[in-house]
Amino acid sequence: MRYFTSPGAARAAGLRPCKRCQPDGQGLPARDTGLVERLCRTIEAAETPPRLGDLAAQARLTPGHLSRLFKRQLGITPRHYADAVRDERLKTALQATGRVTDALYDAGFNAPSRAYEAAGKRLGMTPGAAKGGGTGQVIRYAIASSWLGRTLVAATQKGLCAVQLGDDDRDLVAALSRRFAKARLEEAEPGSPYRQWIDAALAAIERPDLAASLPLDIQGTAFQEQVWQALRRIPAGQTVTYGELAASIGRPTATRAVAAACGANRIAVIIPCHRVIGKDGTLTGYRWGPERKAKLLKAETGTRKPIP
């Protein structure tokens, strides 16, 4: 076995990069991109989540190799993608059917206990509460001043579900109420775990490096969560275009869908959609105003960005 200090030194010795995984490439080979996309469609069409071994056999790969391909392109494993698809089905079925039990089986869960476990982790509420638009769910919130203006932070028992920026406290509460129309809103008590998360979120607005450790209750679709996870991987001080963000999740032609997912983000700053800019370098839209976006980018990069 020979060791080299750099890829260039290995090439000079007559070696070449692996043609299968292309370690020096900017993305997956086209054949692997197509393979992952086909397997995603297989997962989406299956009544119950396919086993990793079955997917690997279909792809003629080892399970480990297949998992690495998925993680490289989508940032998640086949199992996580299947879970997200099933959870999205559950949310849709809960709104469409009259019975919770029917929705659980329609979504592909083979036992109610598994559905309730998943709902607690992914929906932040029980299936019955999700069916009723958050009925019975309690959301604690607090409003404070930050350097971006009045800031409302809200949390469920699973984590932060909203960070909103504005100028008027009543408007902020009204927006939260519309977002969770049938949930019960309560102000977070000082010293409670909710208040600790809220205080940590306010601190992360001042120090972006603190945001990664915060628990989130995102409650989005599988595609939205994929985009939001990619947003959280953009380091403070850097920006990407919508096209670059779409390419990073293996959907280079889904620029508009990615932009829509950024616009649907309700957790300002913590999920940093402000780090996505237009192809020509302009700031484009921002739910909480282009001035705030410019301030955020200036604080993170030390340079002033043009306000369109």
Side-chain angles (χ1 to χ4, degrees), residues 284-302:
T284 67
Y286 189 55
R287 173 180 294 274
W288 294 280
E291 293 81 5
R292 288 190 177 92
K293 185 170 185 175
K295 287 182 179 180
L296 281 163
L297 291 176
K298 180 183 178 183
E300 292 180 357
T301 65

Side-chain angles (χ1 to χ4, degrees), residues 10-61:
R11 290 194 195 90
L15 302 180
R16 61 162 176 79
C18 173
K19 291 184 176 181
R20 177 182 291 273
C21 64
Q22 294 188 342
D24 289 346
Q26 296 301 312
L28 290 175
R31 64 180 181 277
D32 289 341
T33 300
L35 172 62
V36 170
E37 185 172 352
R38 288 194 299 273
L39 291 178
C40 285
R41 303 295 85 78
T42 298
I43 292 171
E44 292 164 5
E47 292 185 2
T48 58
R51 294 184 302 175
L52 177 60
D54 293 339
L55 291 172
Q58 179 180 335
R60 298 182 179 180
L61 299 173

